[in-house]
Amino acid sequence: MERHVQILSDRERKVLALLADGYSEAKISSKMHISEQTVRKHIRNMLVKQGFVSPYQLINWAYKEAVIS
């Protein structure tokens, strides 16, 4: 299936990198000085942009496409 990649914002990429490193939503929230609700919103927005249903799919895609390293 061909996927039309949408650009992720800098904040979304930062959340994604921390998520991929194993940080929980609470830890990401604390580290980035944003609410957990905002973290969840960033994750949800990335899932919608890329057409995934799972954060694990998102992380896998991000590594394959070198969105994060």
Side-chain angles (χ1 to χ4, degrees):
M1 173 173 87
E2 185 175 326
R3 188 171 304 284
H4 296 285
V5 177
Q6 297 289 320
I7 303 288
L8 301 180
S9 71
D10 290 338
R11 292 284 245 180
E12 288 170 337
R13 281 194 300 275
K14 178 68 175 173
V15 168
L16 182 55
L18 292 170
L19 192 63
D21 284 343
Y23 285 83
S24 67
E25 291 175 358
K27 292 283 186 180
I28 294 169
S29 168
S30 176
K31 191 163 183 74
M32 292 184 66
H33 307 287
I34 58 178
S35 71
E36 285 184 56
Q37 181 178 348
T38 300
V39 171
R40 286 189 292 273
K41 183 177 178 185
H42 283 310
I43 294 169
R44 186 173 50 251
N45 287 345
M46 289 185 286
L47 291 171
V48 169
K49 282 182 180 181
Q50 302 311 327
F52 295 122
V53 295
S54 162
Y56 302 106
Q57 291 174 308
L58 184 64
I59 292 167
N60 188 38
W61 163 82
Y63 278 122
K64 284 182 180 179
E65 297 297 322
V67 174
I68 57 175
S69 54

